[in-house]
Amino acid sequence: MDGVPRVPEQRRPGSAQDAAEPAAALRFCVLGPVRAWRGEEQLATGSPQQRALLAALLLREGRTATAAELIDALWGEEPPSQALAALRTYASRLRKILDAGVLVSESGGYAVRSLAEGALDLAVAQELATEAEKARGAGDLCQAREMLARALALWDGEVLAGVPGPYAEAQRVRLEEWRLQLLESRLDMDLEQGCHAEAVSELTALTAEHPLRERLRELLMLALYRSGRQAEALAVYADTRRLLADELGVDPRPGLKELQQRILQADPALAEPSAPPAEPAAVPVRPAQLPATVPDFTGRASFVSELGDVLASAEGRVMAVSALAGIGGVGKTTLAVHVAHQARAAFPDGQLYVDLQGAGPRAAEPETVLGSFLRALGTADSAIPDSLEERAALYRSVLDGRRVLVLLDNAKDAAQVRPLLPGTEGCAALVTSRVRMVDLAGAHLVDLDVMSPDEALSLFTKIVGEERVASERKAALDVVAACGFLPLAIRIAASRLAARRTWTVSVLAAKLADERRRLDELQAGDLAVKATFELGYGALDAAQARAFRLLGLADGPDISLAAAAAVLHLPVDATEDLLESLVDTSLLESAAPGRYRYHDLVRLYARACAERDEWPPSERDAALSRLLDFYLATTAQVYAIEHPGDRLTDDLEPTRYPGLDFAEGTAALDWLYTEAGQLLACVRQAAGTERLRRAVDLLWAAKDLTESGANSHQYEMTARATCEATRAAGHERAEGRARTVLSDVLLVSGRIQPAEQEARVAIGLARSAQDATAVSWVANNRGLICLHESRFAEGKVFFDQALEGLRAAGNRPFEATVLGNLSRAHLGMGNIAKAVEMAQHGLAVHTEIGRTVRLANGHFALGVALTRAARYTEALSQFSDALGIFNDHRQRLWEGVTHFRIAEVHAADRRPAQAAQHAEQALALGCIGGDRMQGNVLTLLGRSLSALGQADRARACWREALSLYEQNGAGEANAVRALLTSAAAA
């Protein structure tokens, strides 16, 4: 057909006779305008964007491209709003043009498959170039030159001419560079064959077209010199030196300088070459480059088995690739070398190894590695080409038919690894890297974590010796825990101990207990944990490094995405991109979607980096201040949702950084209980800083954590820490609030005497600081303490004081709660009707506000009053309502105490079976009031079981109750002793 270029890719290169393609076969060209033919008929490939899609798929050589990748390829960073729809339209049109099954949809993307051999001009050019390398290596320059000439003839003007998009532009640059490399190789062979005079004119034109390409200048100088034109050859060098200085500010490369000197000296070796002597036939070499495996390899059994199975499957597969990723020091290299040694028998033609230095500032260049591999495989230096593409092609050719294992250690990224993969059946590759190689097609990905405690202790014992560890097992466990179960850290610590016979394991554990000195202690000889982390940190860009440093400052087991955004003062999307990039480097772990954490030693290193590198230093405090603001603002929002109308949130310290907003209560509670550990850690971290008052208010706003039973121990320890910090700092108002919170905690756990001590101090501080909110709160607490100790009249006085303050502040929800407590004081004084009235009044206020956790308290208080009034049916109804609301709001301890009150109703109404059932549920859930309340539940359960004829079990319950009462000095002990005495006499 006129105007249609000859397409040599339809013929097998180097064959004696080209095979004809079927008439209807599809073929494509990308080394020029993007075109397609069916037989001799040229097909209409559509608009420029449609051709761009076709080109992008053809250049992927059958691999699937996702929709996102294709949109980026066609439009870059600013795609149109309907880019995905447009992409689907282009794909649909191409599918109609091409044969069935050629353009396939797969995994949300597209691929071009099922093409005949030689259907793409680029693939033909690559095959010709590979054949040329083989011919040149065999000394057949004529054949090699012919192959390269045929490959170069496939170019038809500008590559991907008229095709838009960043991907096409990048491919144009790449393929033009490859064309020039092929051209330089062909011209080099021209000169080797003595065709220097003919080459001068072509080289002159090429150097004019590509003036900064020094290899072309070098070939032109050599061609001129061999043509007897020495002065012109030297003039080319002078022009080149001047041009490079003017354009780039650099000197010519050493090879060009050396050629100039040899021309000046009329070096006889530069004369027209004679035919080179034939290279001796290459003898197959069986490389065995694996490093030695460690004699004390420990654990990792599942990984050894998994990787071994993958390597065992290499025979019969195109290639088996496993990529191990993990933090520095986690044992990737040790595991890979161990597995590789175990698999040696499956790769009889050898094992190649290289440290790609990916964690360092200068990663190994793939072309350099390929040169080393080719020499190890028996390729003569003179047969090793210059370019990366040619070396990679020759490497694959040399490995063809062999079974070789390649261990690529410490890789920087997938781009560094791809040219080094064998790509042939029977070969396999093991790759280790600090980054997850999700973009390494077909790789079996393995994420290597730290050792289990048992594995860690086993490794430590193998190095130190069984005798020394056996006598100090607890200290040894402390050592491996301080090492974060990181194999490198354990090896260093154990090696130090093994070298110091006078040290005990306890001495080493004590040294590692100091977090500020721990990283300095973890070094021995040329091994150092800090140096390992430094390599990863040094490879980060400025934004990643800042995020790494600042996030390490926050205490807590992990951090949410929203909290991290507050620390970094960045939008959530930008924060997520940064954090995910740190996860890819293995410096950060993704604990769950939207949650991140550090390995313990990495956190220590991150903090050291923050102290050393963060500028100005005030940014460290600012980051933690933003985090505290975020937690306080969000917790206040949760409190406001759970306690609508409560004025507590109006009296908290102001915040500058905003928190989260919640549409409804479930999401708010989810956040509070999920973030409890991090929130309390933030409060503890603020002790002794200018953030202390905000930290105390955060603890107060999160008080629902105490009554739910969640994080009770952490909450109490945090409350005690804030009490000490506020006292030391002389913050009267903050100390009053901290002691109010601690009084709450002690009350919930049933420790009445300590609760009263804290409440007495708290109310004095609150009054002195004129903190009306805290005064009312503590007055209510003191009233509750009086109820526990049957001081009902005194309790009424405190409740009346609390009501006075709450009414003045307009805090109706809390006022209603105190009315319920006042109801119980009246019960204690025998004013049952008044108690019912007060409880009904409080419930009415709660009902008016809505279904909140405080409404459950209202139902509960009325249920208690109705029980005393012997109105059992009504009491059960109130307790049932309370139980449902407590459950909805995750107030587990309140659920428990409500079951206890229900059991009391059933017992009073002579239904012991139902009473026992609810008492058991109360024990299972736990109760407000701690051990003392548990004693009450056990006493009631014993009574119910006794009524059911289960005397032995009843006595067991009473004995347990007595023990609890005696431990707490409770007056109820006497009544239980009487029950036990009576039971014994029966």
Side-chain angles (χ1 to χ4, degrees):
M1 182 174 173
D2 239 11
V4 177
R6 171 177 168 270
V7 186
E9 69 268 22
Q10 296 305 302
R11 300 176 172 86
R12 182 179 299 279
S15 61
Q17 184 171 353
D18 296 338
E21 287 286 344
L26 283 174
R27 50 193 175 91
F28 301 88
C29 287
V30 292
L31 298 176
V34 177
R35 289 171 292 184
W37 286 270
R38 180 178 289 106
E40 295 301 313
E41 175 193 1
Q42 183 170 350
L43 305 177
T45 50
S47 67
Q49 282 81 11
Q50 190 167 307
R51 293 198 303 276
L53 173 59
L54 177 59
L57 296 175
L58 289 169
L59 289 171
R60 286 181 176 269
E61 302 177 0
R63 298 188 304 276
T64 301
T66 67
E69 290 172 334
L70 291 170
I71 289 171
D72 186 61
L74 269 63
W75 291 287
E77 295 182 356
E78 297 183 357
S81 59
Q82 299 298 316
L84 182 59
L87 182 70
R88 289 170 175 163
T89 299
Y90 300 149
S92 175
R93 291 172 180 171
L94 286 172
R95 196 177 279 116
K96 292 176 182 176
I97 297 169
L98 306 177
D99 293 346
V102 171
L103 198 160
V104 297
S105 300
E106 186 176 80
S107 301
Y110 299 96
V112 167
R113 302 270 172 80
S114 305
L115 295 183
E117 184 178 353
L120 179 64
D121 58 354
L122 175 58
V124 175
Q126 291 169 334
E127 189 174 353
L128 288 165
T130 301
E131 293 294 326
E133 289 170 5
K134 290 181 180 179
R136 188 174 187 179
D140 190 348
L141 292 182
C142 291
Q143 175 73 0
R145 186 188 180 284
E146 170 62 20
M147 292 292 180
L148 284 184
R150 290 176 60 189
L152 288 164
L154 294 175
W155 266 263
D156 185 20
E158 182 185 37
V159 172
L160 305 177
V163 173
Y167 179 78
E169 182 57 35
Q171 294 301 312
R172 270 193 286 273
V173 172
R174 178 180 73 86
L175 292 173
E176 174 60 15
E177 171 63 23
W178 186 48
R179 184 185 73 85
L180 290 172
Q181 290 174 0
L182 295 178
L183 192 54
E184 288 167 348
S185 295
R186 198 217 75 205
L187 287 164
D188 189 31
M189 284 187 277
D190 286 350
L191 298 186
E192 284 189 54
Q193 291 179 301
C195 303
H196 37 75
E198 296 87 340
V200 168
S201 60
E202 185 176 1
L203 282 165
T204 300
L206 286 170
T207 53
E209 186 178 354
H210 305 282
L212 296 176
R213 199 168 183 91
E214 293 181 69
R215 178 59 177 154
L216 290 175
R217 297 268 182 166
E218 185 178 349
L219 291 170
L220 177 57
M221 288 172 64
L222 187 58
L224 287 168
Y225 178 74
R226 289 181 178 172
S227 299
R229 299 156 69 177
Q230 180 181 5
E232 289 182 65
L234 293 171
V236 169
Y237 177 81
D239 289 342
T240 303
R241 184 178 60 182
R242 184 173 58 255
L243 181 66
L244 290 173
D246 291 345
E247 295 290 330
L248 304 177
V250 298
D251 293 328
R253 63 188 177 91
L256 205 58
K257 291 180 182 178
E258 181 186 352
L259 180 59
Q260 182 226 16
Q261 290 299 312
R262 294 175 69 189
I263 290 173
L264 285 171
Q265 297 164 6
D267 185 348
L270 288 179
E272 180 175 340
S274 57
E279 292 274 357
V283 178
V285 177
R286 182 183 178 277
Q289 298 183 341
L290 294 177
T293 188
V294 294
D296 50 22
F297 182 86
T298 302
R300 309 297 201 187
S302 62
F303 289 113
V304 171
S305 174
E306 177 183 347
L307 292 168
D309 289 345
V310 174
L311 294 181
S313 70
E315 188 174 3
R317 292 177 57 185
V318 171
M319 178 176 52
V321 180
S322 292
L324 287 74
I327 187 178
V330 81
K332 301 180 293 296
T333 299
T334 302
L335 174 60
V337 169
H338 181 79
V339 169
H341 273 284
Q342 287 197 335
R344 285 183 63 184
F347 300 95
D349 296 316
Q351 305 86 40
L352 296 169
Y353 171 85
V354 64
D355 179 358
L356 293 172
Q357 303 172 36
R362 294 186 178 180
E365 295 292 340
E367 50 262 57
T368 303
V369 176
L370 285 170
S372 173
F373 279 178
L374 286 168
R375 282 187 286 273
L377 291 164
T379 307
D381 280 350
S382 60
I384 298 176
D386 293 330
S387 73
L388 172 62
E389 288 81 3
E390 291 174 312
R391 288 187 177 192
L394 179 59
Y395 170 65
R396 293 190 294 271
S397 300
V398 170
L399 288 178
D400 188 28
R402 298 190 188 185
R403 293 173 62 189
V404 174
L405 173 62
V406 183
L407 176 45
L408 304 173
D409 192 21
N410 194 15
K412 179 182 180 182
D413 51 30
Q416 184 190 32
V417 166
R418 287 191 192 99
L420 309 178
L421 297 178
T424 55
E425 182 179 333
C427 291
L430 270 175
V431 185
T432 75
S433 177
R434 297 191 183 197
V435 302
R436 294 191 79 247
M437 295 201 174
V438 293
D439 50 345
L440 191 60
H444 173 74
L445 302 181
V446 176
D447 291 321
L448 196 58
D449 203 351
V450 296
M451 286 180 147
S452 70
D454 287 343
E455 288 177 335
L457 185 61
S458 177
L459 174 60
F460 184 78
T461 303
K462 284 184 178 180
I463 299 171
V464 173
E466 178 70 38
E467 183 178 348
R468 295 177 76 181
V469 174
S471 61
E472 295 186 275
R473 182 179 173 82
K474 172 66 168 61
L477 287 170
D478 290 342
V479 168
V480 296
C483 292
F485 309 107
L486 188 71
L488 175 63
I490 295 166
R491 184 171 295 280
I492 290 171
S495 298
R496 290 190 70 197
L497 184 60
R500 291 163 174 80
R501 303 304 300 177
T502 59
W503 282 16
T504 63
V505 182
S506 298
V507 168
L508 178 61
K511 288 179 174 291
L512 294 177
D514 182 357
E515 287 191 352
R516 297 187 65 83
R517 289 279 307 155
R518 188 176 298 168
L519 289 177
D520 294 327
E521 293 289 347
L522 290 173
Q523 53 185 340
D526 61 350
L527 294 178
V529 171
K530 185 186 293 185
T532 299
F533 296 158
E534 192 74 47
L535 289 172
Y537 176 64
L540 302 178
D541 63 32
Q544 290 173 319
R546 174 180 179 268
F548 175 73
R549 294 191 300 267
L550 292 183
L551 289 176
L553 295 173
D555 283 348
D558 61 7
I559 192 167
S560 68
L561 180 58
V567 172
L568 302 180
H569 205 194
L570 291 173
V572 170
D573 289 346
T575 300
E576 184 174 25
D577 290 343
L578 273 177
L579 269 56
E580 287 298 326
S581 71
L582 289 175
V583 171
D584 288 340
T585 67
S586 298
L587 285 172
L588 191 66
E589 301 172 18
S590 180
R595 303 200 70 83
Y596 302 88
R597 69 184 175 207
Y598 285 96
H599 181 275
D600 291 345
L601 295 179
V602 178
R603 184 196 299 277
L604 294 179
Y605 175 71
R607 290 182 174 179
C609 290
E611 291 180 8
R612 181 189 67 193
D613 300 338
E614 196 60 41
W615 193 261
S618 59
E619 176 57 12
R620 300 198 297 267
D621 288 333
L624 291 175
S625 181
R626 290 191 295 270
L627 179 63
L628 179 57
D629 274 357
F630 167 78
Y631 281 136
L632 177 53
T634 309
T635 305
Q637 170 78 225
V638 176
Y639 189 91
I641 291 173
E642 283 293 284
H643 308 275
D646 195 312
R647 305 300 296 274
L648 172 67
T649 56
D650 298 340
D651 203 26
L652 300 176
E653 287 287 318
T655 58
R656 294 181 180 179
Y657 195 90
L660 299 175
D661 291 322
F662 301 102
E664 43 81 31
T666 300
L669 286 175
D670 286 343
W671 181 89
L672 180 65
Y673 291 113
T674 300
E675 295 294 325
Q678 292 73 16
L679 181 152
L680 295 174
C682 183
V683 173
R684 291 191 296 272
Q685 192 171 15
T689 73
E690 56 85 25
R691 307 186 299 276
L692 181 56
R693 286 182 295 181
R694 279 179 290 157
V696 170
D697 280 0
L698 170 55
L699 190 62
W700 199 2
K703 70 172 291 293
D704 284 350
L705 292 175
T706 64
E707 297 184 359
S708 70
N711 305 92
S712 298
H713 179 69
Q714 283 190 56
Y715 194 97
E716 180 180 340
M717 293 302 99
T718 305
R720 292 188 182 280
T722 56
C723 286
E724 290 301 313
T726 50
R727 183 188 58 78
H731 288 317
E732 200 172 58
R733 180 175 185 268
E735 185 183 356
R737 293 187 170 199
R739 294 195 181 278
T740 300
V741 167
L742 182 54
S743 173
D744 266 351
V745 176
L746 295 169
L747 257 176
V748 168
S749 62
R751 287 170 283 173
I752 305 305
Q753 293 303 320
E756 182 161 27
Q757 292 170 11
E758 293 298 335
R760 287 179 184 277
V761 177
I763 202 162
L765 290 166
R767 285 172 177 160
S768 178
Q770 298 183 337
D771 187 354
T773 301
V775 168
S776 298
W777 203 287
V778 183
N780 179 63
N781 281 357
R782 295 199 68 185
L784 291 171
I785 290 166
C786 290
L787 294 185
H788 280 283
E789 298 199 327
S790 301
R791 292 150 41 197
F792 302 114
E794 186 181 354
K796 178 180 180 303
V797 172
F798 285 120
F799 291 136
D800 286 339
Q801 290 175 4
L803 286 172
E804 182 181 352
L806 293 169
R807 285 165 178 159
N811 194 336
R812 295 189 70 223
F814 199 1
E815 175 191 345
T817 297
V818 176
L819 286 172
N821 295 336
L822 183 58
S823 166
R824 291 172 59 194
H826 282 290
L827 284 177
M829 293 185 290
N831 304 326
I832 296 177
K834 184 66 172 179
V836 172
E837 178 189 341
M838 298 295 288
Q840 288 173 332
H841 184 189
L843 179 59
V845 175
H846 285 311
T847 304
E848 182 182 334
I849 293 169
R851 184 181 168 84
T852 69
V853 69
R854 289 273 174 80
L855 176 60
N857 292 126
H859 285 299
F860 180 89
L862 181 55
V864 172
L866 291 170
T867 302
R868 285 289 302 277
R871 294 158 63 177
Y872 300 132
T873 302
E874 295 172 76
L876 287 174
S877 175
Q878 295 299 323
F879 286 136
S880 177
D881 289 343
L883 200 59
I885 300 173
F886 283 138
N887 181 267
D888 289 346
H889 291 264
R890 307 176 204 182
Q891 294 293 308
R892 179 174 58 82
L893 297 184
W894 273 109
E895 282 187 73
V897 79
T898 304
H899 277 292
F900 168 67
R901 293 297 186 181
I902 293 173
E904 283 189 318
V905 174
H906 286 302
D909 207 19
R910 299 180 181 178
R911 291 191 292 271
Q914 292 90 328
Q917 178 186 354
H918 284 280
E920 292 284 9
Q921 288 183 269
L923 288 174
L925 290 166
C927 295
I928 297 287
D931 288 348
R932 188 168 181 174
M933 178 56 77
Q934 186 179 357
N936 294 344
V937 177
L938 285 165
T939 301
L940 176 61
L941 177 58
R943 290 179 184 276
S944 302
L945 293 171
S946 179
L948 292 170
Q950 300 180 32
D952 290 343
R953 191 178 165 199
R955 284 193 293 270
C957 289
W958 290 332
R959 282 193 291 268
E960 188 177 349
L962 179 60
S963 174
L964 291 172
Y965 287 145
E966 289 176 341
Q967 290 172 23
N968 290 274
E972 292 91 334
N974 290 330
V976 176
R977 288 191 191 98
L979 286 172
L980 285 168
T981 301
S982 174

